[in-house]
Amino acid sequence: AQKVTQAQTEISVVEKEDVTLDCVYETRDTTYYLFWYKQPPSGELVFLIRRNSFDEQNEISGRYSWNFQKSTSSFNFTITASQVVDSAVYFCALSGASGAGSYQLTFGKGTKLSVIP
Amino acid sequence: SQTIHQWPATLVQPVGSPLSLECTVEGTSNPNLYWYRQAAGRGLQLLFYSVGIGQISSEVPQNLSASRPQDRQFILSSKKLLLSDSGFYLCAWSRDSDSYEQYFGPGTRLTVT
């Protein structure tokens, strides 16, 4: 069975601070995919990134960066110089690489980020 | 570019009434389609997915059903709503290959009274 744990339920930061959202996953698959999604107050989930289990390179996209560590089963997300527009619920998700498991995204319960001006 | 639509945006229905939520995708062909429910507490639960017309897989046995009458149309239905069916229903699509990211629609907020 797959499981995604986002231990931080809610985080508040002051604008321009850096913030890291934690994600720990469990899977028996040797190949799998990890994702991050953003859910602003409007409700629509916005895709941010997909990472393959065989690619442990960290990735940076503007103010966003992701740290994937297979040894600790973690896929953490850092926002640098946070802005009010970053306020949202952020979800980490996991899927298998083949068969029926590849169609199912297992989501964590999300971390609600509030950026205070 | 691809676009995904859902309607209605909000719905208030009494217990025991029927339900029909519709989702359509534009700008792609033969997508995989998904229905999720997000109940209070924010967790997302996959309800159904479809890899083609008439092909529906159910992840959670419950009071709901899904149908895919056309390539880019996905419908979520119920004959008799329960209070526990309240929630935020999200439709999503992905490319017709394994493990691609899913793109979500704007959602339908359903309140069963």
Side-chain angles (χ1 to χ4, degrees):
Chain A
Q2 299 183 329
K3 185 179 179 181
V4 176
T5 302
Q6 295 180 255
Q8 304 150 308
T9 305
E10 295 192 35
I11 300 176
S12 289
V13 298
V14 176
E15 200 171 20
K16 296 185 183 178
E17 286 184 346
D18 299 347
V19 58
T20 296
L21 310 181
D22 298 332
C23 173
V24 174
Y25 62 91
E26 296 176 28
T27 181
R28 293 183 179 178
D29 292 339
T30 53
T31 303
Y32 50 89
Y33 295 85
L34 294 161
F35 306 82
W36 275 96
Y37 284 84
K38 174 182 179 180
Q39 187 176 37
S42 61
E44 181 175 344
L45 265 76
V46 177
F47 166 74
L48 296 178
I49 189 172
R50 179 184 70 156
R51 174 60 71 206
N52 306 333
S53 57
F54 47 84
D55 180 4
E56 289 194 66
Q57 267 193 329
N58 292 329
E59 183 155 341
I60 299 174
S61 175
R63 296 184 297 107
Y64 294 171
S65 63
W66 291 269
N67 181 270
F68 175 33
Q69 293 198 346
K70 211 167 179 177
S71 60
T72 56
S73 297
S74 65
F75 186 42
N76 296 337
F77 173 29
T78 297
I79 302 174
T80 303
S82 59
Q83 300 176 2
V84 173
V85 293
D86 296 327
S87 297
V89 180
Y90 290 86
F91 290 94
C92 181
L94 166 71
S95 76
S98 63
S102 64
Y103 298 110
Q104 180 167 357
L105 283 179
T106 300
F107 283 87
K109 293 192 180 300
T111 297
K112 183 178 181 180
L113 173 65
S114 299
V115 180
I116 305 164
Chain B
S1 64
Q2 298 83 15
T3 311
I4 179 168
H5 302 280
Q6 281 186 250
W7 62 91
T10 60
L11 192 59
V12 180
Q13 292 283 91
V15 168
S17 63
L19 173 73
S20 181
L21 302 182
E22 189 165 342
C23 170
T24 59
V25 181
E26 297 177 354
T28 187
S29 59
N30 197 34
N32 294 334
L33 296 173
Y34 310 82
W35 278 111
Y36 287 86
R37 178 168 60 200
Q38 186 178 28
R42 305 192 302 248
L44 283 116
Q45 180 185 41
L46 177 65
L47 302 175
F48 301 95
Y49 69 88
S50 172
V51 300
I53 296 174
Q55 300 180 61
I56 309 294
S57 295
S58 174
E59 289 298 313
V60 182
Q62 56 204 320
N63 186 41
L64 303 169
S65 62
S67 62
R68 184 170 177 174
Q70 300 180 38
D71 181 45
R72 289 169 289 176
Q73 184 185 29
F74 206 22
I75 297 172
L76 183 69
S77 304
S78 174
K79 292 183 179 178
K80 287 186 179 181
L81 284 168
L82 306 172
L83 283 174
S84 57
D85 291 325
S86 293
F88 190 50
Y89 288 82
L90 288 154
C91 181
W93 74 274
S94 69
R95 292 182 181 83
D96 63 344
S97 300
D98 291 349
S99 302
Y100 277 98
E101 54 272 17
Q102 296 177 17
Y103 297 94
F104 287 79
T108 295
R109 195 163 301 279
L110 171 66
T111 303
V112 183
T113 60

